[in-house]
Amino acid sequence: MVEPEHRASAAQRLGAQETLGISTLDPGHRPPIMPPGRHVSIKIRMLDDTEEVFDVSQRASGKVVFDLVCTHLNLVEGDYFSLEYQDHHKMMVWLDLLKPIVKQLRRPKHTVLRFVVKFFPPDHTQLLEELTRYLFALQIKHDLACGRLACNDSSAALLVSHIIQSEIGDFEESQSRQHLLNNNYIPDQVALIDKIMEFHSKNVGQTPAESDYQLLEVARRLELYGVRLHPAKDREGSKLSLAVAHTGVLVFQGHTKINAFNWSKVRKLSFKRKRFLIKLRPDLNSSYQDTLEFLMGSRDCCKVFWKICVEYHAFFRLFEEPKPKPKPVLFTRGSSFRFSGRTQKQVIDYVKDSEFKKIPFESARIGNLPVLYELACANVGWVAISEVSGVVSNSPHLSASSGNSQGMVNGQKPVELCGHSPDGRQPSPLTSPLLNDAGSVRTDDEDEVRRKRFPTDKAYFIAKELLTTERTYLKDLEVVTVSFQNLVGKDEAAPDSLKSTIFSNFDPLYKFQSGFLREVEQRLALWEGRSNAHIKGDYQRIGDVMLKNLQGLKPLTAHLQKHSEALVELEKACRGSRRLEVLVRDFELQKVCYIPLNVFILRPLHRLLHYKQILERLCKHYPPTHVDFRDCRAALADVSEVVAQLHGSMIKMENFQKLLELKKDLIGIDSLVTPGREFIRLGCLSKLSGKGLQQRMFFLFNDVLLYTSRGMTATNQFKVHGQLPLHDMTIRESEDEWGVPHAFTLVGQRQSVVVAASSLSEMEKWMEDIKMAIDLAETSNGHTADLLARSLSDNKSTTEDSCAEAESEDDLMASRTSLERQAPHRGNTTVHVCWHRNTSVSMVDFSVAVENQLSGNLLRKFKNSNGWQKLWVVFTNFSLFFYKTHQDDYPLASLPLLGYSVTIPTESENIHKDYVFKLHFKSHVYYFRSESEYTFERWMEVIRSATVSASSTRILSRKEPHPY
């Protein structure tokens, strides 16, 4: 006798304990409040065919029952699901969430409710949680087995191959055949076993999560995906079926769709007895009558279908839940039914507001099932989980909770970065390795002692900024001279030309900067009185130290000029060696490489700008008679001369570096880095299509506008859907035309696109930049940047046709090649932050960020905490990176600032300290405290540069020579 195969439940499938799902809800998520009254047991059949029993009050509403199920599953995106049951007319109906159970279920003890998918989105990448996608995959599996998801044999075999890949793992012929003989996934499966096995053999290496993704990718293109057919007849008595989808009302004959009425064309839906009525908007080009009539089996059939139409329209088309109409005083007319719950937009915004970031953490196997553990991080702030594991392992909080769930952290309310959350909960040990350190708390007495001990002159704090940023700069050089050199220095995949170009230029520079840092540290120690020397005015200056070392830096100018060549050499070497490309990519995933490697390579060029800014501030502060003024002015002249020599290559290399970085974020385009192409802006816009408004990521260059969507793959990359050449393009506002706020239309040679920005300011920035880019495209005539043309002449430059977003079942096989398993990709880039924060940044913003780098000690406090924690903070790349001390090799956590606001606390916030600024984004609030008025103003200045987007009128500002 063959033992039945063990089937993993939803929780087991994702590696959780028996009664918990894996999601981003709190492990201690509270169940809904139960009203008083006699309790009954309600049976719920889950999508994996297990049954759960819930004890509820008879007076409880349908929503209470549904919330209990979502709590049990730990499901965040529960709004896509619902409960259905068979009523006394033997019809399958949806549980009304607003009505009490006692008014819906005649015999609750003998009724089984099914937990199923109710709303099928057009694109499964809109499902942000792996648990949600897994439940959708179970629904597809069920629909296949019962024949509801009818499709051709090839599609059916492909779907089943992904199902069994998820269930039994990689292909092994005898095991796969026996499994298919024992388990039936589709009607008439025996005839397709060989075809299923053929497809299964091509899925080697897919994890269950990837198999779910591929299953949904195939299923969503099928004509009957998410369709529930409701029998009806037309006026002539022909048998038809009606269905509803995200696009509108569909008409089927058998399993073939013969008509569709888009929501934009429908004026009103109603029913009268057995007749279901669709009233259309007037259309001179259409042959349809004003009102279409369909005859259904009964009034109840009409009402059931009308209700689901109302709900589908509200869920996919409205921005927020419709408000209930006021009850009439005397009499009612028509149904009072309304959609209850969050709309799809609210669901997506809710999950994004909670700022969940999934990071593949560890793979394990339970029985035969591969399990992917994922940990949730707050703020898209990318708390580097793997980076703090050494700290976390000793946390008492972790040891107390680790037995309850594997890889499950934080929750429905957004987690606060490294500390107390806004509601005062204890921090997760995974996101707060610093805050358990009592030694990091500063007292008011310490502050008073410090104020009395250290200088208060502004020049001292300017010099101290030089010290703190120089410490960070030297650590950044070590990333290249130590960490990267150890990785590729002895590897045969790295050509000698690359090693020579990078290391022979970085090593002398690192040696020089180490000596410079020692001199600055010694001078600041004397200035602060931390030595035995008698403190005189001779030591209370920094210009002489800077002048001496900047004159010593001049002979190294040749090395600095070759840093741009190093960037090009690295790119060429990676394109020529797959092994080296993998080595570099893996290095960028290491904790020490906290920003892209290319940025580290350009650091020495950017550091010259920082020296220049520091000297300009000193010269502005000192009177001409000051002892330090002459040295500062001479040093400023020297550094300005070097910057002028390197300025042209610096501008080209910043653009080149940005193109290389974007190339890693995009799939579906082979020729992003082409001679003469300049990056201008990237960010989120909503694209209007037949499916409604859909979030898309747009990338604007001086010759083309790309639009993409974010794929829920292991790579976290953005898939290019279309390319709009800017030549002969026109742009106009179209808010009134489409009735969509902040909308504008792009009219190109081959297609027109209607998009909407998230705000008026975003729309103005996009329109201004696009108009400027169109002008550049008209006047440039393919102008070629000399360096790129010489170095990347072998890079193909092809003009690709715009990709139509409409997809069909015929595209099934083609889609598999574009979604092949790819290597992990860092998910904390600026592109991903813009996606989650629904904002944009321009090349001007990147240039400003390069110039506005800062580091130093800050005290940090959370909204509901009492103490201040001392941290070493580095601002770069639009983010704050947090360290325990400046000697640390890598950050423990980070906070992207795009979308945040920086202000001064109000009186009501009871922050009775000097030099405090406040960072806030929706419910996230942080307070930071600096040591002086100067440092306070500097932190405010640089953070504002990351939170307030620059005007595109400055796009050419850094391309003009600076007046030195």
Side-chain angles (χ1 to χ4, degrees):
M1 181 176 178
V2 179
E3 292 186 8
E5 293 188 48
H6 172 73
R7 297 295 183 85
S9 67
Q12 293 169 330
R13 150 74 168 74
L14 294 169
Q17 294 290 317
E18 184 59 36
T19 59
L20 292 173
I22 291 297
S23 182
T24 45
L25 281 171
D26 272 329
H29 181 51
R30 295 180 180 177
I33 299 174
M34 192 68 63
R38 192 164 63 90
H39 281 221
V40 295
S41 296
I42 302 292
K43 291 182 182 177
I44 310 290
R45 182 167 297 152
M46 301 297 183
L47 280 164
D48 59 358
D49 289 328
T50 59
E51 284 193 2
E52 302 289 344
V53 179
F54 296 91
D55 192 49
V56 299
S57 167
Q58 281 188 331
R59 296 170 58 185
S61 66
K63 180 170 172 39
V64 170
V65 180
F66 182 69
D67 286 349
L68 281 172
V69 177
C70 291
T71 303
H72 172 76
L73 291 173
N74 221 16
L75 179 63
V76 172
E77 298 171 297
D79 303 77
Y80 290 101
F81 303 84
S82 192
L83 299 170
E84 65 173 0
Y85 65 98
Q86 193 175 57
D87 69 1
H88 60 284
H89 294 303
K90 304 298 182 183
M91 290 178 55
M92 295 303 295
V93 296
W94 297 106
L95 188 71
D96 193 322
L97 299 185
L98 298 180
K99 290 184 179 179
I101 297 172
V102 70
K103 292 188 177 181
Q104 300 184 71
L105 307 181
R106 288 192 171 185
R107 303 174 67 192
K109 291 183 180 179
H110 303 286
T111 302
V112 178
L113 282 73
R114 291 191 64 94
F115 177 78
V116 295
V117 177
K118 184 174 186 178
F119 300 112
F120 288 80
D123 189 349
H124 57 292
T125 61
Q126 295 172 340
L127 307 174
L128 303 181
E129 295 232 302
E130 185 190 339
L131 173 59
T132 314
R133 295 192 295 276
Y134 172 62
L135 294 175
F136 265 72
L138 290 179
Q139 182 68 64
I140 297 301
K141 176 182 172 183
H142 179 271
D143 291 350
L144 266 178
C146 70
R148 180 184 291 165
L149 185 58
C151 56
N152 61 44
D153 289 348
S154 180
S155 300
L158 185 57
L159 288 166
V160 175
S161 75
H162 291 304
I163 294 174
I164 62 175
Q165 173 71 22
S166 176
E167 292 188 351
I168 67 175
D170 288 344
F171 175 77
E172 196 282 314
E173 186 172 358
S174 59
Q175 180 194 24
S176 180
R177 185 177 297 276
Q178 188 62 43
H179 185 80
L180 289 169
L181 291 173
N182 292 341
N183 300 276
N184 205 44
Y185 296 101
I186 51 175
D188 304 321
Q189 179 175 290
V190 176
L192 293 177
I193 284 183
D194 290 337
K195 199 171 190 68
I196 295 171
M197 292 175 62
E198 178 187 349
F199 284 131
H200 185 201
S201 66
K202 298 177 182 178
N203 297 336
V204 173
Q206 278 186 189
T207 65
E210 291 169 329
S211 297
D212 292 347
Y213 181 93
Q214 297 289 358
L215 177 70
L216 297 175
E217 176 68 20
V218 175
R220 76 182 181 94
R221 303 166 187 264
L222 301 177
E223 200 160 65
L224 289 171
Y225 166 70
V227 167
R228 289 193 173 208
L229 298 176
H230 296 253
K233 293 180 182 179
D234 61 13
R235 284 183 172 177
E236 286 73 37
S238 301
K239 290 185 178 180
L240 304 168
S241 295
L242 298 180
V244 63
H246 63 279
T247 55
V249 180
L250 312 177
V251 183
F252 285 81
Q253 199 162 44
H255 287 155
T256 304
K257 184 169 68 175
I258 61 173
N259 218 330
F261 301 101
N262 196 289
W263 294 124
S264 60
K265 298 177 182 178
V266 176
R267 184 178 176 185
K268 183 180 181 181
L269 294 176
S270 61
F271 67 96
K272 189 174 183 180
R273 297 187 179 90
K274 293 183 179 182
R275 291 180 297 144
F276 184 79
L277 306 173
I278 304 177
K279 190 169 186 178
L280 301 176
R281 298 184 185 277
D283 187 354
L284 298 177
N285 299 321
S286 174
S287 59
Y288 293 120
Q289 303 172 10
D290 178 53
T291 302
L292 300 174
E293 183 177 308
F294 297 90
L295 192 67
M296 304 190 81
S298 66
R299 180 186 181 278
D300 288 340
C301 292
C302 264
K303 187 171 184 178
V304 166
F305 183 63
W306 174 78
K307 280 184 174 182
I308 189 62
C309 287
V310 170
E311 292 179 311
Y312 251 82
H313 176 269
F315 185 76
F316 287 108
R317 297 283 287 187
L318 300 185
F319 285 172
E320 58 185 21
E321 178 184 355
K323 294 180 174 58
K325 296 179 181 179
K327 292 185 178 181
V329 178
L330 298 177
F331 60 89
T332 62
R333 182 179 180 182
S335 175
S336 62
F337 176 79
R338 66 178 178 89
F339 171 73
S340 171
R342 295 182 295 193
T343 65
Q344 186 192 32
K345 183 180 186 304
Q346 288 176 309
V347 176
I348 293 174
D349 289 347
Y350 168 76
V351 179
K352 287 184 178 179
D353 287 350
S354 301
E355 299 292 2
F356 297 123
K357 172 61 189 164
K358 308 264 178 171
I359 300 178
F361 185 63
E362 179 183 359
S363 292
R365 295 184 75 87
I366 297 179
N368 292 324
L369 297 178
V371 177
L372 177 69
Y373 297 141
E374 290 187 333
L375 298 180
C377 289
N379 294 324
V380 193
W382 329 119
V383 178
I385 299 296
S386 60
E387 299 171 11
V388 300
S389 57
V391 181
V392 173
S393 59
N394 298 321
S395 167
H397 299 292
L398 181 64
S399 60
S401 62
S402 58
N404 297 329
S405 66
Q406 302 178 37
M408 182 164 58
V409 294
N410 310 328
Q412 187 176 17
K413 294 184 178 179
V415 183
E416 289 297 323
L417 184 68
C418 292
H420 292 278
S421 58
D423 57 359
R425 289 180 297 163
Q426 286 296 317
S428 162
L430 287 176
T431 57
S432 55
L434 307 180
L435 301 189
N436 295 325
D437 184 359
S440 66
V441 178
R442 283 273 291 273
T443 66
D444 294 336
D445 291 340
E446 289 175 356
D447 289 337
E448 187 62 30
V449 169
R450 181 174 180 82
R451 275 194 289 268
K452 291 179 180 178
R453 177 181 173 186
F454 290 111
T456 57
D457 181 28
K458 182 177 180 179
Y460 162 76
F461 292 107
I462 298 175
K464 189 169 183 180
E465 180 183 334
L466 172 67
L467 170 65
T468 57
T469 53
E470 192 69 19
R471 284 171 172 168
T472 299
Y473 174 46
L474 203 66
K475 280 291 183 183
D476 287 350
L477 288 179
E478 288 177 2
V479 174
V480 178
T481 59
V482 179
S483 303
F484 187 61
Q485 188 166 357
N486 290 341
L487 179 71
V488 303
K490 299 179 181 179
D491 198 288
E492 296 179 356
D496 292 338
S497 60
L498 174 66
K499 298 176 185 177
S500 174
T501 304
I502 294 184
F503 304 132
S504 64
N505 290 303
F506 268 86
D507 289 344
L509 190 63
Y510 176 74
K511 183 178 179 181
F512 173 82
Q513 297 295 159
S514 299
F516 179 39
L517 175 61
R518 282 194 298 271
E519 289 191 40
V520 174
E521 287 177 331
Q522 290 168 3
R523 176 56 57 87
L524 265 292
L526 292 171
W527 201 333
E528 293 171 352
R530 288 185 282 125
S531 72
N532 295 327
H534 295 287
I535 304 304
K536 303 291 184 183
D538 289 348
Y539 292 118
Q540 294 182 349
R541 57 178 179 161
I542 197 67
D544 57 331
V545 176
M546 294 197 72
L547 177 61
K548 171 192 170 186
N549 283 276
L550 286 173
Q551 288 177 341
L553 187 64
K554 277 188 175 182
L556 297 177
T557 304
H559 293 290
L560 292 170
Q561 288 174 331
K562 292 184 179 180
H563 281 228
S564 57
E565 295 179 17
L567 196 62
V568 176
E569 191 67 38
L570 179 61
E571 168 62 9
K572 288 174 64 178
C574 288
R575 286 192 287 112
S577 170
R578 172 65 178 165
R579 173 174 169 77
L580 180 62
E581 182 185 5
V582 172
L583 279 175
V584 172
R585 185 188 61 224
D586 291 344
F587 178 74
E588 286 194 315
L589 293 173
Q590 292 182 16
K591 49 195 175 184
V592 71
C593 191
Y594 64 99
I595 53 178
L597 177 61
N598 289 336
V599 178
F600 286 112
I601 293 177
L602 294 182
R603 272 286 196 257
L605 301 179
H606 298 152
R607 186 59 180 159
L608 295 174
L609 297 174
H610 306 155
Y611 292 150
K612 182 173 176 292
Q613 290 176 343
I614 286 172
L615 287 165
E616 286 173 340
R617 283 194 286 273
L618 283 169
C619 289
K620 184 178 179 180
H621 169 68
Y622 286 139
T625 56
H626 194 280
V627 66
D628 204 24
F629 178 77
R630 178 178 294 182
D631 287 340
C632 286
R633 188 173 61 178
L636 177 60
D638 286 342
V639 75
S640 297
E641 180 183 344
V642 178
V643 168
Q645 293 176 16
L646 300 174
H647 183 262
S649 62
M650 191 186 305
I651 295 299
K652 291 177 182 177
M653 283 304 104
E654 284 179 5
N655 180 69
F656 182 42
Q657 183 271 324
K658 183 49 59 181
L659 292 177
L660 293 177
E661 187 178 336
L662 294 179
K663 180 182 175 183
K664 297 176 184 178
D665 284 312
L666 297 175
I667 54 175
I669 181 169
D670 298 323
S671 54
L672 184 69
V673 185
T674 59
R677 174 167 289 164
E678 296 181 15
F679 165 71
I680 297 177
R681 180 175 290 276
L682 66 85
C684 271
L685 292 170
S686 297
K687 180 176 175 291
L688 187 63
S689 67
K691 301 174 182 178
L693 284 173
Q694 292 185 305
Q695 185 178 355
R696 291 287 181 258
M697 198 73 184
F698 281 73
F699 299 84
L700 176 64
F701 303 91
N702 63 336
D703 60 337
V704 69
L705 178 66
L706 307 180
Y707 58 92
T708 68
S709 66
R710 182 173 181 266
M712 302 300 288
T713 62
T715 63
N716 283 324
Q717 290 168 291
F718 288 81
K719 181 179 178 181
V720 176
H721 283 286
Q723 304 183 45
L724 305 174
L726 297 183
H727 191 70
D728 290 337
M729 178 183 282
T730 60
I731 182 173
R732 69 174 187 270
E733 288 190 43
S734 50
E735 181 173 332
D736 295 336
E737 181 180 350
W738 295 98
V740 178
H742 319 307
F744 56 96
T745 301
L746 303 168
V747 181
Q749 293 175 324
R750 289 173 292 194
Q751 70 178 116
S752 298
V753 174
V754 180
V755 294
S758 59
S759 66
L760 178 61
S761 62
E762 277 290 301
M763 182 188 76
E764 290 173 345
K765 284 185 287 189
W766 272 106
M767 291 189 68
E768 185 179 358
D769 281 358
I770 292 173
K771 287 176 182 176
M772 182 197 63
I774 292 172
D775 292 339
L776 289 174
E778 297 295 337
T779 57
S780 65
N781 273 334
H783 172 68
T784 302
D786 295 336
L787 179 62
L788 298 184
R790 181 172 69 250
S791 306
L792 300 175
S793 58
D794 55 336
N795 207 15
K796 296 180 181 178
S797 177
T798 58
T799 303
E800 301 181 24
D801 293 334
S802 298
C803 304
E805 287 197 87
E807 297 162 311
S808 65
E809 189 173 343
D810 297 333
D811 299 325
L812 289 175
M813 299 309 298
S815 70
R816 299 188 73 250
T817 59
S818 66
L819 292 167
E820 292 293 333
R821 295 180 67 248
Q822 301 181 32
H825 177 70
R826 200 180 190 112
N828 62 346
T829 64
T830 305
V831 178
H832 289 82
V833 179
C834 286
W835 174 264
H836 284 276
R837 303 269 170 87
N838 197 19
T839 187
S840 69
V841 291
S842 68
M843 190 61 198
V844 174
D845 299 319
F846 284 106
S847 298
V848 171
V850 160
E851 297 177 6
N852 287 324
Q853 296 181 16
L854 195 60
S855 52
N857 285 312
L858 286 175
L859 302 180
R860 183 187 56 192
K861 177 186 179 301
F862 294 95
K863 186 176 181 180
N864 294 314
S865 63
N866 295 320
W868 294 83
Q869 287 80 33
K870 181 180 178 182
L871 300 172
W872 178 261
V873 183
V874 174
F875 169 77
T876 185
N877 226 39
F878 301 105
S879 298
L880 294 178
F881 294 90
F882 300 96
Y883 302 74
K884 200 166 187 178
T885 69
H886 69 83
Q887 291 102 338
D888 293 350
D889 291 329
Y890 56 85
L892 294 168
S894 64
L895 177 66
L897 296 177
L898 292 173
Y900 268 79
S901 297
V902 57
T903 57
I904 299 173
T906 61
E907 202 58 44
S908 61
E909 292 172 274
N910 294 321
I911 305 294
H912 303 300
K913 302 291 181 183
D914 295 330
Y915 315 129
V916 175
F917 60 91
K918 170 185 172 184
L919 279 173
H920 57 99
F921 173 73
K922 298 187 177 177
S923 60
H924 306 278
V925 177
Y926 309 97
Y927 300 100
F928 292 93
R929 186 172 157 203
S930 53
E931 62 180 347
S932 69
E933 182 179 2
Y934 171 80
T935 52
F936 167 78
E937 291 174 350
R938 284 290 291 137
W939 279 107
M940 291 283 284
E941 177 186 350
V942 299
I943 291 175
R944 279 193 178 123
S945 73
T947 57
V948 180
S949 210
S951 168
S952 64
T953 55
R954 295 184 53 207
I955 192 74
L956 301 176
S957 63
R958 291 189 65 226
K959 297 189 177 182
E960 301 299 329
H962 289 251
Y964 301 124

